[in-house]
Amino acid sequence: MRIASVAATWCHVPIPPERQHVSDFGRVASFDSVIVRVDTDTGLTGWGEAKAGVGSAAACAGLAAIIEHDYAPLLVGQDPRDISRLWDVMYNTPREGYAVARGHGLPQLGRRGLSVSAIAGVDIALWDILGKSLGVPVWRLLGGRRAERMPAYASGGWADAAAIGAQLRGYVEKGGFRAVKMRVGVMDGTVAASAARVLAAREGLGPGVGLAVDAHGTWTVAEAKAFARMVEGCDLMWFEEPVSADDKAGMAEVRRSSAVPVSAGESEFTRHDFREICELRAADVLQPDLAIAGGSTEALRIGALASAFNLRLAPHLWSGAPAFAAGLHVASAASAGFILEYSLGHNPMLHELIEEGFPVEDGMVRIPDRPGLGITVRETFLNHYGRSR
């Protein structure tokens, strides 16, 4: 089996005004992602996803170009089942021969940013092909799923203090979710305003529903520490991205300052970034986005780090269907995996891009047993929303 072609489509899906939300990212008017297609000479096709931003909207022309112009020439003619080697080929580029032979990374540049996101999109597609070629789901290749279903938390929560309780209760009623996540941070104006919204959320939910908060890295260390003290009585699942991902030492300081668990990782690239988080004891929960951090291959390595440092793994799954499915397979097989993010924002890339869907029942998502990622991409959707570069 050989790779015949690699294609990347920037998919730009407008969000109707009535479904748009406002956060520190501003008013989110579109969902953008790069859908990667890898075709083989045997007729098998693998699907992957790469992201240029952790939120919904992003300009993805450059990312798609990296995949098609930098990586595709290295991949065509290769056996797609040699996933580990091909990851190293993309990561090390001109020196990939030395790197593979020596067992030692020799990247041309410090590998972060769009180049790693591009690797992620291809990598996810290669795992899809491998599973399809063997007639088994990806989780089987990763060592097997640990349960047929996994708990999920509803991810949203932008309402003000007066309405946040009702908004989050609506999530619980909609899918039987037993845990929810809301947004806080600079969008609220003051730390006290964010804390008031969290207190209102906890009062509205009652004690039986898990509650997490996400600051999107928008606070200073002092602000994050003050907020954590204000909400210590709310029994939070975690405080996500309290400070900028550039300030890992500051995040560690926030974690040490209170009993509220800290989570992070959606803005990080490769196991090397996550190793630093682990060594600094900066987080309790690691949250790699598979469409950013390096794909399923790198997520396995990050999951091993989480287990080795007695941390937990909860992939960032604010994404389209290919990356969501990839994160689902990894989390279901990882020793440290314990919960899934489920977007309650308007997300046609998750619900309309593929035929199958990921229904939530009693707050749980079933781990699919279909071959590969278990998804069938609607190419009519790609043709309709694909954006020319």
Side-chain angles (χ1 to χ4, degrees):
M1 186 191 302
R2 300 292 169 183
I3 295 173
S5 63
V6 178
T9 301
W10 172 11
C11 208
H12 173 80
V13 186
I15 297 175
E18 66 275 11
R19 298 296 305 277
Q20 294 174 9
H21 66 264
V22 178
S23 73
D24 50 279
F25 291 119
R27 178 169 293 278
V28 181
S30 66
F31 208 107
D32 296 86
S33 198
V34 172
I35 303 302
V36 180
R37 174 175 179 153
V38 178
D39 287 310
T40 69
D41 60 3
T42 65
L44 287 179
T45 296
W47 296 96
E49 181 177 355
K51 291 168 58 180
V54 295
S56 301
C60 298
L63 177 55
I66 290 171
I67 294 168
E68 292 194 339
H69 298 295
D70 287 342
Y71 292 156
L74 301 174
L75 298 168
V76 171
Q78 302 280 348
D79 190 325
R81 297 166 295 187
D82 293 338
I83 299 173
S84 178
R85 184 178 65 81
L86 294 181
W87 200 98
D88 288 345
V89 165
M90 290 184 284
Y91 188 74
N92 295 288
T93 49
R95 295 186 292 207
E96 55 91 4
Y98 295 112
V100 170
R102 292 167 58 87
H104 178 63
L106 297 168
Q108 182 177 6
L109 293 171
R111 305 298 270 176
R112 300 293 188 272
L114 294 185
S115 61
V116 173
S117 295
I119 292 172
V122 173
D123 181 82
I124 291 169
L126 297 182
W127 280 100
D128 191 28
I129 289 171
L130 180 59
K132 289 174 178 175
S133 72
L134 298 172
V136 298
V138 168
W139 56 256
R140 179 67 68 194
L141 305 173
L142 305 181
R145 61 186 177 188
R146 293 174 299 129
E148 293 185 355
R149 301 192 304 165
M150 280 193 73
Y153 67 90
S155 184
W158 301 276
D160 61 18
I164 189 65
Q167 185 179 55
L168 298 179
R169 283 198 308 273
Y171 297 167
V172 173
E173 294 163 3
K174 182 175 183 179
F177 291 99
R178 297 162 197 168
V180 298
K181 185 169 79 179
M182 62 181 286
R183 271 59 186 177
V184 296
V186 71
M187 68 181 225
D188 290 328
T190 67
V191 172
S194 281
R197 290 180 58 242
V198 175
L199 292 168
R202 174 48 77 197
E203 182 178 358
L205 288 169
V209 178
L211 175 61
V213 300
D214 185 355
H216 288 162
T218 57
W219 274 326
T220 65
V221 171
E223 289 169 330
K225 289 165 67 175
F227 171 81
R229 287 194 295 271
M230 291 178 188
V231 300
E232 273 192 317
C234 292
D235 189 26
L236 296 182
M237 291 166 51
W238 65 66
F239 179 9
E240 185 169 331
E241 286 201 306
V243 298
S244 168
D246 290 337
D247 188 7
K248 294 180 178 60
M251 185 163 61
E253 184 178 340
V254 173
R255 181 174 180 259
R256 290 192 299 268
S257 73
S258 86
V260 178
V262 169
S263 68
E266 68 181 46
S267 301
E268 306 290 1
F269 299 93
T270 76
R271 60 197 180 275
H272 307 296
D273 282 351
F274 285 88
R275 183 197 64 225
E276 293 177 17
I277 292 174
C278 293
E279 290 174 342
L280 288 168
R281 298 289 182 180
D284 300 273
V285 181
L286 302 185
Q287 298 175 299
D289 187 313
L290 273 69
I292 291 174
S296 301
T297 297
E298 200 67 356
L300 290 173
R301 297 162 177 163
I302 295 164
L305 280 171
S307 181
F309 280 86
N310 290 314
L311 306 177
R312 293 188 292 174
L313 180 74
H316 180 253
L317 298 177
W318 196 273
S319 60
F324 182 92
L328 178 68
H329 284 270
V330 168
S332 71
S335 296
F338 74 110
I339 199 166
L340 304 168
E341 181 175 25
Y342 200 95
S343 166
L344 265 292
H346 184 62
N347 190 344
M349 292 288 290
L350 177 63
H351 302 294
E352 299 173 27
L353 174 63
I354 62 170
E355 300 285 350
E356 294 81 7
F358 303 97
V360 180
E361 299 177 1
D362 298 324
M364 308 284 280
V365 177
R366 185 169 295 279
I367 313 302
D369 55 10
R370 298 178 294 272
L373 294 176
I375 61 174
T376 306
V377 171
R378 292 182 172 131
E379 295 186 53
T380 53
F381 184 95
L382 288 183
N383 293 335
H384 182 72
Y385 292 110
R387 193 162 187 166
S388 61
R389 297 191 294 281

